[in-house]
Amino acid sequence: MSTTRSPQELKALVRQAREFIDDVVIPREDLSQAKNRDYLLSTGKELRALATAQGLTSPRSAAADGGLGLSWEECCAYLEVAGRSFLGPTALQCAAPGQPDIVLLQALANDNQRERFLQPLVAGDKRSCFAMTEPAPGVGSDPRMLLTRATRTDSGWTLDGHKWFASNGAIADFAIVVARADAGVSLFLVDTSTPGFEVLRDVPTMEPFDLGGHAEIRLNQCKVSADALLGEEGRGLDYAQLRLEGARLFHCMRLIGLSSRAMHLAQAYASKRTSHGALLSEHQMVQAMVADAHIELHAARLMTVDTARRLDAGESLRHHSSMAKVFVSEAVNRVADSAVQITGALGISEDWPLSMIQRFLRPFRIYDGASEVHRSAIARRVFKQQLDA
Ligand SMILES: Cc1cc2nc3c(=O)[nH]c(=O)nc-3n(C[C@H](O)[C@H](O)[C@H](O)COP(=O)(O)OP(=O)(O)OC[C@H]3O[C@@H](n4cnc5c(N)ncnc54)[C@H](O)[C@@H]3O)c2cc1C
């Protein structure tokens, strides 16, 4: 899927989104309400209505599904702009986990599933969650450890298992549940109102502005119809991989935007604050932190765009997506850490967004594959295929 927009039209669209984020969305970030679910949901809804009126929502969804129809490459600049604000991805309808769930449903959903799940998800009328991870001893980094079972019945399936960290789980209208069936790992579309689908709690985390939380869920004799199966039975791990490749890339785009904003704030501070008779911006060690941040963000953008181009070209991109995910997730954390360092006590405070940005970025080194797991997969491929560096 790629847009029919000219480069000038795309630039104008990104500029319009940037103005919307900077002028409308960022002023609505109330740091004192960063953990208040009611504020987050109502503000997110209000901002999305404003963005919809300006034709700015659902960048990656096809125009036929109500989106902007941008290619992966075109999404890079757009999602970076959205990611500048904690509330931006929700406002522009490109937040996780909805955005990667849309990509998955676009690839796999049958006509009935498109109507029931995909279209309302794109329109923002329904919310989704993706429930794969389980508390120990269930699946985490190692997909072979999946314990949730799907048992075939005369009328469909019964799901039994224990999930956690399903982002959006407590506010989702439906879940994409990963479970083991006789033919292997499979995906199921489950209305969260189905008896036996129990949200036990939201797991408290370090993240601010975490709109949908991360739910712990019990599936207890949860009965769904035969049409709940998404795609083919037994191909769930391939599908999860398909979803993850896009999900990682979207995270890279958005979180480059957030860390770039952190450095922008740090630069503003360093340009006004003096110490030892000079502006901070005149001290070489501060300059080095700023220069390194710009180098890292430039490299992070190039890796993200390159991976997006490969995805547009339909290449198999496990290797490149792993390399980009490791580099970008670590680079944005280093940039945010430098931004806090440059800003001193103000950076640690919650008067400014910097400490919250750092807390928001930290989990990216863990979700969608921890750095260590990606490094191990990269090295395995290198030795197996004797790849040149
Ligand atoms: C903010 C957030 C949102 C999330 N959202 C979702 C969601 O929507 N849906 C969902 O299903 N899951 C979600 N997760 C869960 C996420 O996918 C898991 O945390 C991730 O897969 C790691 O699994 P684990 O936490 O069980 O860590 P473990 O598997 O216990 O690993 C812990 C650590 O051990 C190390 N490690 C593990 N394996 C290896 C290895 N092979 N080699 C070297 N070191 C290794 C790594 O450092 C890793 O961080 C989310 C997590 C977070 C933090």
Side-chain angles (χ1 to χ4, degrees), residues 241-275:
Q241 188 59 35
L242 170 81
R243 177 186 180 278
L244 268 177
E245 282 176 357
R248 279 177 203 137
L249 206 52
F250 284 133
H251 282 305
C252 289
M253 298 171 192
R254 286 187 294 255
L255 298 180
I256 286 172
L258 196 59
S259 65
S260 157
R261 179 174 164 213
M263 189 40 65
H264 181 82
L265 291 169
Q267 288 165 213
Y269 181 84
S271 302
K272 291 210 174 100
R273 175 79 164 154
T274 54
S275 160

Side-chain angles (χ1 to χ4, degrees), residues 13-23 81 84 264:
L13 181 69
V14 173
R15 196 178 324 113
Q16 188 189 347
R18 169 83 190 234
E19 283 167 11
F20 181 74
I21 294 293
D22 286 358
D23 300 344
V81 162
R84 287 173 57 72
H264 181 82

Side-chain angles (χ1 to χ4, degrees), residues 97 129-134 138-142 164-168 205 207 214 243 363 365-373 376:
C129 71
F130 188 81
M132 176 155 173
T133 306
E134 299 163 345
V139 61
S141 300
D142 182 352
W164 85 328
F165 264 87
S167 303
N168 260 9
T205 72
E207 281 181 305
H214 308 290
R243 177 186 180 278
R365 286 172 50 203
I366 293 173
Y367 57 71
D368 291 356
S371 291
E372 295 71 28
V373 176
S376 144

